Amino acid sequence: MTSGNIIYDKFHFRHNPKWSGRLGPAEGGGLLLCVACVIEMIESEEIASVRKAFALSGVSRVMTCSPGALRELLGQDHSVSVRLIVSLLGMLHTVGDPATLEKVDQVLVQLLLELQNEASLHVVLDEIHKQLSDQLSVKSFLPTFNFLGSLVEAAPIVAYNLVTQYVPLLENLCSALLYPDEALKASVLYVWIKLFGSAAQSLPAVIRDRVCILVLQILNNAGSLQLINNCIGLLWLLVQLEEAVSVLMNIPGKKVLCNENQSSHANNSPIFSQNQEQQSPDHPLPLILKKLLLSGDETLQVTSAKCIASILVHSPSQYCTPFIRADISEFLFDRLASSSSEILMWSVYTCLVLLTEDPLFFAQCHSVYGIESLVRSLNEALRLTNEGVQKQGLLLLTQILERQPPSVHLFPSGPAFVAVSETVKAGVSSSCLLVATQAASAASALFRLNHQSRPVQYREVEGVVEAVTNRFSELPLPTPAHWRSMGRRERSGASSQTLRSDGFLLQALVCFQAACRLAEECASDPVLKENTFTAPYKHSHAQDSLESLCQCLLHCCDSIWIPTVIRMCEHAPSAQILQYFYSILSSQFGLLPSVMPVFAKKLASSGFYRLALEHKGLLCAGNSSSVYFPLLPFLSFRNPNLNASCCGFLQKLSVCLLFQSSPAPGSYQRDVEEVENLLQHNLPSLCYCLSDWPSLLHEVPGLQLCEYKGPRSIQYCLVLMLHLALQQGDRLLPDQTVFSSLSWLLRSVHEQGSCVVPRSVLRSALYLLAVTQDQSPGLDEAPLNCISKTLSSCQSFPSLYTHHPALLQFICRYPELAEKFGPLVVELWLTKQAQHIDAEQNKEKGNTRGSHVDKRPDEESDMETVELLTLIGKYPAVIIILLDMVCTREDPLAERALGVLEVLLRGQREYEPDVCAKLRPALLQAVQRISVQNVGHGLGERHTDQVNSLPLVLKLLCVMQASDCPLSSSYSKMDGINFKLLYHVSIIAGNLKPTSPKSLLPALNYLYCCLSMSPAHCTDRAVPMLLSNSGLMDQLQTVLSSSSSSSTPSACPPSALLCCSHLLLSSLITLQRVHSAQVHKTISWSLGKAVQQLFVQKRNADNLLLVSYLKLLQALLDVDLDSAVVCVCPDAGLVGPRLPGFEDGALYPLGSRGAQFLSAALSGLLIQKNELLLRASVNCLASLLAFLQKRSPTTAKFVVCQPWSRFLVFCLLSSGDSSLLHPAFLRLITLLLHYRTTAVLCKPDLLQVMEAVERRGVKQLSHEAAQALRLLLIQIQNSVPQPPPTEEHKQRARSIMESLGPQTPAESCSPRLPSSVLCVGDVSICLSDFTLI
């Protein structure tokens, strides 16, 4: 061969040129190749193998560089190509050089692929088969098997031809596996790998089964790594075939281990040197694979695990048991504990998942053995990036947790449970939704009661729940705009992400439901609830408690789960998601009963009645759209689980709301049972759209045999739903529809007369009629009569009552109903109102314990009272109902009725004009009836069969008198009803027991108001009548005597009673002098005690009592301490020792010392900030000075010039403009100037007053202040203050006088009381008695 051409000169000259050619690139320069030379060189034994290898390399280059060129040369004669192929096959047996053999292998494969001739392939296979058949030993066939493997790999068609047409050759290949040479076995196994990889399905079953046996035998005794790898590779392909798996798993152990000792080197194998089996097992394959797991080669471990998984996939129930008995599970768990390879972890996870399907896995406690290794492995996997491995590991954990027998605990200690909880939380927090979904599934299984440690780790459970909940913020929740804008194609393209989100949401709901179930189970077990085995230092941690877990569940459900699920299901509701959602909502009612009323109201007011009912109608209704009642029992419903969840939720929600609105505690249990039975039997059938409800309510069903089942009961169920939903503001149907449907239903039931409407349903119907009446026309006579008769048929009307103002309006709107049920419904309204106020007062007492703030509940009208007043405005007859309650009912109902009437009377101009005129005749009858009833008995005492309503009636009289309009007829004359009332009250007051202050106080107060509020000329008959009432005078004497003679406060009469006595006496003194009325009985009164009270004990007396003392003193001073009504008793401390001097005699019985004491006391009282006390003190001082001026001018001068007068003026001047311009202060300055005192100086006192007026402005003064200022300026002009005023001061005074003008606007920012009567506690005071002008 020369210059690289493939020509052998020694032979080439005799060859036909047609077998030669220059083969190479088209541009020339190719090699000169002679096929004949190549063949002769291969066949010649004289030519060295190196030369042959060179020639073969040239042939390989030609086929690589010039595809098809060699095929054209050989195509001239097929026999030449056959000869070339046979020659090359022969070299596989004759050449010993490995490099040359490799080149022969390469050229043969290239040549066969170049020829693209099936005949050539058959030549090869026939030749190989012939060689194997002719030889007794296959020792030299290693190169041939290597070539065959390469050929099958390069040309898959060879595999098909081989398994279909060359079965004898396959048998030869099987026989070759029996040869002890491991390299040859490995080569043959490689051929089998390629055959099973390409044409396994066409392989004869006999050959396949024989190969299975041979593989196990070889694998059991294999020593070289190559042989083991090829065995494992072939085994992996075999276990993909179900038939092969059956053979492999059923091969007897003796058949596999029979040749165990045939190869001495097998015992020295590094793989199988450990744990050699000394007995023949029934299933050798698991043991073989277990040995592979024990090897140190990770690839073998992975392949072994994959083989196990492939076997188990075919039939877990059939093949799991042998592997479990071979302790494969333990070895798999050990591999997890010692490896961090992703592929190995995935393979082991898959095997263990399949093994967990067999109960034997748990019976032999493999789960207990491996749970710790699994948790550690999962923690490692979650730090990796392979999401498939993470998902598979969490799936294994889920399977173990779900299938673990309850009797065997996986986590007996707290740390073990904490560890698995942390793993689950890490899985839930994964960025992959699929992994998070699987972790949520594991959490669901972890929340089973049998997996909880002792003590229960509530904080860990709470942490897992929070982790699942926190993932919701990452979910791609669809928005309404998203659904509207997304087309069908876009939705299908994004369906994968949507499905993942839905899948996670569904599994999260299952997890949350499991947590709720766990909380319920722990709550029912006292040991778990208290967590008895908790460490002492943890008992103080409220976070690790069942209550904390329940609060967490409720908070997550309320703030996150509910909004998320509603948003997810807003446009495309999922029956499966909603099923768990409503089940979760139902479970909340058993976790924290104390907060369930608030939670239930929130759900109902948020439209959950409508939501649940619409979901039932949309997803649970059957195919039939008819609402005809007789068909109801035969209708089929979809999604029964969702229907059951919705029904359970609605039932618990309804019962909770019913508990809050129960009319009476005694009827609660019966109502709950009644409602529960109705809902339980009829809610499942209530799967209709809300638009169909009116038709359902208008149906007329036949007779109903069962009390709680049937069409009529379904109607009742509808009524309950409408009531409870509307009560929380959720209007399921329009008001007009509800009103007409309910009125028609009640009429239908009444006319049918087949059954009695359940009490709870009747209460709901009454409530619905009341609430929806405003938007509906009034009831006709027929339905109204039916409703009246239906309500009358109920034995207990209070059980039908609902505390709502619309019910008041409904009953009082129709006279037929008002006559029967008006008093009852008003009484129930007041009873509920009283209970509410009592509860609020108790709450305030708890919050303000230790404070002494006295708050009257009727100081400010509550909303319920306002509603009742609004009702009175529409229906005045309610006033008579309230008055009847005051007169005939026990406390506190009578007091509540009185409170409403008090508010009505005080604000009568806003509600009903001239209410007093309507009340007086009824009150007169009440007073007369009380007088008649108490003939022969002591008034004010309670009798066995009578209600002591006298105090309340008298209180109402006082309020009525104080609230009467000054322009009404009662102020113009004291006759008719007014005089009769005054007469009867005076008689009652005279006959009362001294121990009845509750009645005596309002009686005296009423008498005082009548006298003070009537003009003087209208009292000409009243005053003599009162003065001639000896019983009344004795009563007043008793009160005054007990107050002056008692040394202990407890023995004194109440201050309010003493105050009313003083005020009444002051009016009687004044009016007796006006009318010169005859006095039949005089009252004695100690002047010294009064002065002492004002001077010494004023700090221990309330202001109102001081005011009454001052008013009585003023009245007596106005008549010069000489009255036929009151005899003033002198006091030695006032008049001094006997014999009195001239001045004391003139001032008798006051005396000069008494005058000084009294003036000093008045000066002290003038400094007080109380408005009424200030006015009374100024008026009393004016009367005192007038009395002194008449009796002893010297004493009067002495009193006004005392140092305390100057001090008093200084204090008042220093109190700011508001005090300077107060009418009482201006009046005081005027008095002092009038009596020429030196306590008031022109400068700076009067100048300071004028400056304050100029700053304020005259127009800003009240009418009373302006008049007092006018009198002061006049007094300044008429007197000569010291020092005398300058011309400038006089000019300023004249300017102010001119600014006052003839009249002054009545605007004021000084203290003014809102009406002519001031109510202080239980005492009404006429402000006209304390005017300063």
Side-chain angles (χ1 to χ4, degrees):
M1 291 186 294
T2 59
S3 64
N5 293 326
I6 309 174
I7 296 176
Y8 193 55
D9 296 336
K10 187 178 179 179
F11 304 139
H12 184 64
F13 68 91
R14 61 173 180 260
H15 294 158
N16 193 329
K18 71 177 183 178
W19 299 112
S20 301
R22 188 168 294 279
L23 308 177
E27 59 272 11
L31 296 176
L32 181 61
L33 173 64
C34 178
V35 175
C37 290
V38 173
I39 293 174
E40 286 198 40
M41 289 174 65
I42 294 173
E43 293 177 348
S44 176
E45 296 180 359
E46 298 176 356
I47 300 175
S49 61
V50 175
R51 190 181 291 271
K52 293 179 180 180
F54 179 77
L56 290 175
S57 297
V59 174
S60 178
R61 284 199 308 274
V62 168
M63 287 187 289
T64 302
C65 298
S66 301
L70 183 59
R71 183 173 66 247
E72 293 180 2
L73 287 177
L74 294 175
Q76 301 175 77
D77 190 347
H78 177 66
S79 61
V80 175
S81 62
V82 172
R83 183 177 176 181
L84 177 59
I85 293 171
V86 172
S87 299
L88 289 172
L89 288 174
M91 286 186 69
L92 295 175
H93 293 278
T94 58
V95 177
D97 180 44
T100 304
L101 287 174
E102 182 180 356
K103 186 59 66 177
V104 172
D105 188 302
Q106 178 184 352
V107 171
L108 259 176
V109 173
Q110 282 184 292
L111 178 61
L112 292 172
L113 294 177
E114 174 83 5
L115 293 175
Q116 297 180 354
N117 188 352
E118 191 172 348
S120 301
L121 297 177
H122 284 287
V123 169
V124 172
L125 295 178
D126 290 338
E127 184 64 23
I128 294 174
H129 179 237
K130 179 182 178 183
Q131 292 175 1
L132 288 173
S133 300
D134 294 343
Q135 297 293 331
L136 297 177
S137 175
V138 294
K139 180 178 181 180
S140 60
F141 277 85
L142 177 60
T144 303
F145 292 143
N146 289 339
F147 158 71
L148 185 57
S150 300
L151 179 61
V152 175
E153 182 179 8
I157 188 63
V158 177
Y160 178 76
N161 291 334
L162 188 58
V163 300
T164 57
Q165 302 176 29
Y166 292 88
V167 175
L169 179 55
L170 296 177
E171 293 178 350
N172 290 334
L173 291 175
C174 291
S175 300
L177 291 174
L178 299 175
Y179 191 75
D181 186 1
E182 291 196 349
L184 186 137
K185 288 181 180 178
S187 180
V188 176
L189 286 173
Y190 183 77
V191 176
W192 282 112
I193 289 174
K194 299 305 176 183
L195 291 176
F196 275 94
S198 301
Q201 299 299 328
S202 303
L203 193 69
V206 176
I207 301 298
R208 182 197 62 216
D209 296 348
R210 187 178 178 187
V211 170
C212 292
I213 298 173
L214 291 172
V215 167
L216 292 188
Q217 290 176 351
I218 295 171
L219 187 57
N220 186 55
N221 302 312
S224 66
L225 185 59
Q226 182 185 7
L227 179 59
I228 294 173
N229 286 332
N230 286 357
C231 283
I232 288 294
L234 180 55
L235 182 61
W236 165 247
L237 294 174
L238 288 172
V239 296
Q240 308 299 315
L241 306 173
E242 185 175 356
E243 298 81 359
V245 170
S246 178
V247 174
L248 289 169
M249 290 300 296
N250 291 293
I251 296 175
K254 293 181 179 181
K255 197 169 185 179
V256 174
L257 302 177
C258 62
N259 296 323
E260 181 179 1
N261 298 321
Q262 289 180 1
S263 300
S264 59
H265 62 273
N267 292 329
N268 298 324
S269 169
I271 300 176
F272 301 112
S273 61
Q274 305 178 44
N275 299 325
Q276 286 288 344
E277 298 292 335
Q278 301 300 323
Q279 56 184 356
S280 299
D282 295 333
H283 301 281
L285 181 57
L287 297 178
I288 293 173
L289 294 175
K290 182 171 72 172
K291 293 175 183 178
L292 292 175
L293 290 174
L294 289 172
S295 68
D297 191 328
E298 187 175 288
T299 304
L300 293 179
Q301 294 174 351
V302 170
T303 309
S304 175
K306 291 169 66 177
C307 289
I308 296 173
S310 297
I311 294 171
L312 296 176
V313 163
H314 292 294
S315 179
S317 61
Q318 183 178 358
Y319 301 134
C320 280
T321 301
F323 283 95
I324 294 173
R325 288 178 176 170
D327 294 331
I328 291 291
S329 306
E330 295 181 9
F331 286 89
L332 291 173
F333 280 122
D334 291 339
R335 295 287 72 76
L336 288 178
S338 60
S339 175
S340 59
S341 169
E342 293 182 357
I343 187 170
L344 178 60
M345 285 193 291
W346 188 91
S347 302
V348 173
Y349 289 154
T350 304
C351 292
L352 290 171
V353 167
L354 294 168
L355 288 173
T356 55
E357 297 184 19
D358 194 325
L360 185 63
F361 178 87
F362 300 97
Q364 293 189 354
C365 295
H366 291 295
S367 56
V368 178
Y369 175 84
I371 189 64
E372 185 177 351
S373 300
L374 174 59
V375 172
R376 286 202 301 268
S377 173
L378 272 174
N379 290 332
E380 181 68 27
L382 290 170
R383 286 191 287 268
L384 303 176
T385 58
N386 193 322
E387 296 170 352
V389 175
Q390 299 171 356
K391 183 174 179 294
Q392 196 71 4
L394 290 169
L395 174 62
L396 173 59
L397 177 62
T398 304
Q399 296 287 5
I400 291 177
L401 293 173
E402 286 180 348
R403 297 176 179 176
Q404 178 69 19
S407 59
V408 181
H409 292 281
L410 288 174
F411 314 107
S413 64
F417 186 87
V418 171
V420 72
S421 299
E422 294 297 329
T423 301
V424 171
K425 283 191 285 187
V428 170
S429 303
S430 172
S431 58
C432 176
L433 268 183
L434 294 178
V435 175
T437 302
Q438 190 58 59
S441 178
S444 304
L446 182 64
F447 290 158
R448 295 185 178 182
L449 186 62
N450 59 291
H451 292 319
Q452 306 309 307
S453 62
R454 302 295 186 273
V456 181
Q457 304 297 312
Y458 291 116
R459 186 68 189 92
E460 297 302 321
V461 177
E462 185 177 336
V464 175
V465 171
E466 290 175 346
V468 174
T469 304
N470 292 337
R471 284 306 303 268
F472 281 0
S473 60
E474 305 172 16
L475 293 180
L477 301 178
T479 62
H482 170 81
W483 282 99
R484 288 193 299 268
S485 62
M486 183 179 292
R488 182 173 300 177
R489 292 183 180 180
E490 294 178 350
R491 284 199 299 269
S492 62
S495 61
S496 176
Q497 184 67 15
T498 303
L499 289 176
R500 290 185 180 185
S501 299
D502 291 346
F504 176 78
L505 178 60
L506 176 60
Q507 193 56 58
L509 286 167
V510 175
C511 173
F512 198 86
Q513 184 190 35
C516 295
R517 187 186 304 112
L518 173 63
E520 290 176 345
E521 292 173 343
C522 291
S524 62
D525 189 334
V527 176
L528 298 181
K529 184 176 181 180
E530 298 297 330
N531 240 5
T532 310
F533 300 103
T534 304
Y537 73 92
K538 288 187 177 181
H539 276 295
S540 60
H541 296 105
Q543 292 183 349
D544 196 10
S545 63
L546 177 60
E547 183 179 2
S548 175
L549 173 61
C550 294
Q551 290 175 351
C552 172
L553 292 173
L554 182 60
H555 173 71
C556 292
C557 179
D558 182 37
S559 60
I560 298 178
W561 289 79
I562 290 177
T564 301
V565 174
I566 290 178
R567 187 176 174 187
M568 288 285 287
C569 297
E570 184 176 2
H571 297 282
S574 167
Q576 198 172 9
I577 289 177
L578 291 173
Q579 170 194 336
Y580 289 105
F581 175 61
Y582 286 116
S583 178
I584 288 171
L585 292 180
S586 298
S587 63
Q588 300 305 309
F589 289 91
L591 299 181
L592 290 172
S594 59
V595 299
M596 278 307 102
V598 178
F599 183 63
K601 284 187 175 181
K602 184 174 182 180
L603 289 177
S605 61
S606 301
F608 267 80
Y609 269 109
R610 176 183 296 274
L611 190 68
L613 292 168
E614 286 180 346
H615 284 152
K616 278 171 57 67
L618 179 64
L619 300 174
C620 301
N623 297 327
S624 175
S625 60
S626 173
V627 294
Y628 183 57
F629 270 120
L631 294 180
L632 278 174
F634 306 102
L635 290 180
S636 60
F637 299 102
R638 297 177 293 135
N639 298 317
N641 293 332
L642 171 61
N643 194 10
S645 295
C646 287
C647 294
F649 164 68
L650 290 172
Q651 185 169 345
K652 289 189 176 181
L653 177 62
S654 301
V655 170
C656 186
L657 293 174
L658 179 67
F659 174 76
Q660 301 173 53
S661 61
S662 179
S667 63
Y668 167 70
Q669 187 62 34
R670 177 182 171 185
D671 289 346
V672 168
E673 293 177 357
E674 194 173 64
V675 171
E676 281 185 331
N677 285 326
L678 279 172
L679 298 181
Q680 181 179 357
H681 290 95
N682 299 284
L683 269 180
S685 302
L686 192 59
C687 297
Y688 299 99
C689 298
L690 294 177
S691 57
D692 294 332
W693 283 25
S695 301
L696 290 170
L697 290 171
H698 281 81
E699 287 289 342
V700 183
L703 293 177
Q704 183 167 303
L705 301 179
C706 181
E707 183 178 2
Y708 297 112
K709 292 182 181 179
R712 185 66 81 185
S713 295
I714 292 180
Q715 290 178 321
Y716 294 159
C717 187
L718 291 178
V719 174
L720 291 172
M721 293 293 100
L722 289 170
H723 167 216
L724 295 173
L726 184 57
Q727 201 170 30
Q728 304 304 323
D730 187 8
R731 280 177 159 78
L732 301 180
L733 295 177
D735 285 356
Q736 291 185 356
T737 303
V738 174
F739 189 84
S740 61
S741 299
L742 264 295
S743 58
W744 196 97
L745 175 65
L746 292 177
R747 181 179 179 182
S748 171
V749 173
H750 177 74
E751 292 176 350
Q752 191 176 26
S754 57
C755 59
V756 178
V757 181
R759 185 170 61 187
S760 57
V761 177
L762 188 55
R763 181 171 63 250
S764 298
L766 182 59
Y767 172 83
L768 290 172
L769 288 171
V771 174
T772 60
Q773 64 178 327
D774 291 340
Q775 305 298 326
S776 307
L779 291 172
D780 296 332
E781 183 178 357
L784 182 61
N785 290 335
C786 292
I787 292 174
S788 177
K789 292 178 180 178
T790 303
L791 295 178
S792 301
S793 65
C794 182
Q795 297 179 354
S796 174
F797 182 80
S799 63
L800 306 179
Y801 174 77
T802 303
H803 196 63
H804 195 281
L807 185 60
L808 289 173
Q809 302 281 350
F810 180 74
I811 295 297
C812 296
R813 178 180 181 180
Y814 302 100
E816 298 89 340
L817 298 179
E819 182 180 357
K820 292 182 179 180
F821 310 108
L824 282 174
V825 75
V826 174
E827 179 178 341
L828 290 169
W829 178 268
L830 291 175
T831 302
K832 291 290 182 179
Q833 186 180 17
Q835 293 174 357
H836 170 72
I837 291 178
D838 291 342
E840 290 296 326
Q841 288 177 343
N842 293 334
K843 184 177 180 181
E844 289 180 2
K845 288 179 181 178
N847 294 336
T848 59
R849 184 171 297 174
S851 64
H852 299 281
V853 180
D854 183 19
K855 293 185 179 181
R856 289 173 56 91
D858 57 348
E859 285 182 355
E860 182 178 355
S861 300
D862 54 87
M863 292 305 297
E864 292 173 316
T865 300
V866 171
E867 293 290 346
L868 199 55
L869 295 175
T870 304
L871 180 71
I872 293 173
K874 292 183 179 180
Y875 311 105
V878 178
I879 298 176
I880 305 303
I881 296 177
L882 292 172
L883 179 59
D884 182 68
M885 289 182 183
V886 172
C887 299
T888 60
R889 295 292 190 273
E890 295 279 359
D891 295 339
L893 178 60
E895 290 184 352
R896 287 302 309 152
L898 174 63
V900 175
L901 289 174
E902 286 180 355
V903 175
L904 175 67
L905 289 169
R906 288 168 184 164
Q908 59 179 300
R909 297 175 188 86
E910 301 177 8
Y911 298 101
E912 175 68 21
D914 205 11
V915 177
C916 298
K918 297 181 179 180
L919 272 179
R920 279 195 182 89
L923 279 173
L924 178 60
Q925 294 179 5
V927 171
Q928 290 173 340
R929 183 171 60 251
I930 292 172
S931 299
V932 172
Q933 289 174 352
N934 289 276
V935 173
H937 303 280
L939 281 170
E941 295 181 350
R942 182 182 296 272
H943 309 301
T944 305
D945 300 328
Q946 295 178 357
V947 176
N948 186 18
S949 59
L950 179 60
L952 300 182
V953 172
L954 293 175
K955 272 187 181 181
L956 182 58
L957 276 171
C958 290
V959 175
M960 181 190 67
Q961 188 66 28
S963 305
D964 202 0
C965 178
L967 301 179
S968 65
S969 60
S970 62
Y971 282 90
S972 61
K973 56 183 179 179
M974 181 65 69
D975 57 0
I977 295 178
N978 299 284
F979 185 79
K980 292 178 181 178
L981 281 171
L982 185 69
Y983 171 78
H984 284 289
V985 171
S986 65
I987 296 299
I988 290 175
N991 294 331
L992 283 171
K993 296 286 185 180
T995 57
S996 303
K998 288 185 178 181
S999 300
L1000 184 58
L1001 172 62
L1004 297 181
N1005 200 190
Y1006 173 74
L1007 298 177
Y1008 158 69
C1009 289
C1010 287
L1011 293 180
S1012 296
M1013 295 179 67
S1014 300
H1017 66 277
C1018 295
T1019 57
D1020 55 345
R1021 291 198 305 160
V1023 172
M1025 183 266 294
L1026 294 177
L1027 292 176
S1028 63
N1029 190 337
S1030 59
L1032 175 61
M1033 303 304 285
D1034 290 339
Q1035 199 75 265
L1036 292 173
Q1037 182 66 70
T1038 302
V1039 173
L1040 297 179
S1041 300
S1042 59
S1043 64
S1044 59
S1045 61
S1046 300
S1047 58
T1048 59
S1050 59
C1052 294
S1055 60
L1057 179 60
L1058 187 58
C1059 176
C1060 288
S1061 300
H1062 289 163
L1063 295 175
L1064 177 58
L1065 280 175
S1066 65
S1067 297
L1068 288 174
I1069 291 170
T1070 302
L1071 294 174
Q1072 187 272 335
R1073 177 65 63 90
V1074 171
H1075 300 296
S1076 300
Q1078 183 179 1
V1079 178
H1080 298 273
K1081 197 164 189 177
T1082 303
I1083 297 175
S1084 300
W1085 186 60
S1086 175
L1087 180 61
K1089 291 289 184 179
V1091 175
Q1092 182 183 9
Q1093 181 76 27
L1094 296 173
F1095 189 73
V1096 180
Q1097 299 180 1
K1098 60 183 177 181
R1099 295 185 180 274
N1100 299 327
D1102 58 76
N1103 292 332
L1104 186 61
L1105 183 60
L1106 295 176
V1107 168
S1108 67
Y1109 271 113
L1110 292 174
K1111 181 61 181 173
L1112 181 56
L1113 273 173
Q1114 177 190 349
L1116 288 171
L1117 290 170
D1118 288 341
V1119 296
D1120 298 332
L1121 299 177
D1122 183 18
S1123 172
V1125 179
V1126 175
C1127 176
V1128 179
C1129 301
D1131 189 273
L1134 297 180
V1135 299
R1138 297 285 184 178
L1139 293 169
F1142 173 75
E1143 291 186 358
D1144 282 340
L1147 298 177
Y1148 185 83
L1150 179 61
S1152 59
R1153 293 182 62 191
Q1156 296 178 24
F1157 287 155
L1158 183 56
S1159 62
L1162 292 174
S1163 299
L1165 294 175
L1166 284 170
I1167 302 177
Q1168 305 295 325
K1169 299 298 183 180
N1170 184 270
E1171 173 75 14
L1172 203 59
L1173 186 59
L1174 184 61
R1175 290 170 173 270
S1177 299
V1178 171
N1179 289 338
C1180 187
L1181 180 61
S1183 298
L1184 173 63
L1185 293 176
F1187 171 75
L1188 294 177
Q1189 184 67 24
K1190 286 190 293 184
R1191 295 292 184 92
S1192 177
T1194 304
T1195 306
K1197 180 69 174 178
F1198 176 78
V1199 167
V1200 297
C1201 293
Q1202 286 297 315
W1204 60 71
S1205 299
R1206 177 60 192 163
F1207 177 74
L1208 173 63
V1209 173
F1210 175 77
C1211 291
L1212 294 176
L1213 287 172
S1214 303
S1215 300
D1217 290 356
S1218 59
S1219 297
L1220 283 176
L1221 302 180
H1222 194 284
F1225 175 72
L1226 297 175
R1227 177 62 176 156
L1228 173 64
I1229 299 296
T1230 304
L1231 285 174
L1232 295 177
L1233 288 175
H1234 176 73
Y1235 292 103
R1236 303 181 183 278
T1237 181
T1238 59
V1240 179
L1241 303 177
C1242 180
K1243 184 178 181 181
D1245 300 344
L1246 298 178
L1247 181 61
Q1248 187 174 349
V1249 173
M1250 288 189 288
E1251 290 176 351
V1253 172
E1254 291 170 351
R1255 283 193 301 270
R1256 174 72 64 87
V1258 174
K1259 293 185 178 180
Q1260 299 299 320
L1261 298 177
S1262 66
H1263 176 74
E1264 192 177 20
Q1267 292 299 326
L1269 178 61
R1270 185 191 305 276
L1271 293 176
L1272 174 60
L1273 295 175
I1274 294 174
Q1275 186 62 46
I1276 292 174
Q1277 295 174 357
N1278 296 336
S1279 61
V1280 183
Q1282 296 297 327
T1286 64
E1287 286 299 324
E1288 180 184 359
H1289 297 161
K1290 293 179 179 179
Q1291 181 61 36
R1292 293 174 70 176
R1294 285 193 294 268
S1295 299
I1296 295 175
M1297 181 69 79
E1298 292 174 359
S1299 300
L1300 288 172
Q1303 292 182 349
T1304 303
E1307 291 115 9
S1308 173
C1309 48
S1310 60
R1312 286 290 304 273
L1313 293 172
S1315 64
S1316 59
V1317 175
L1318 175 66
C1319 295
V1320 183
D1322 293 326
V1323 180
S1324 298
I1325 298 177
C1326 299
L1327 295 181
S1328 59
D1329 290 345
F1330 299 92
T1331 182
L1332 297 170
I1333 305 303

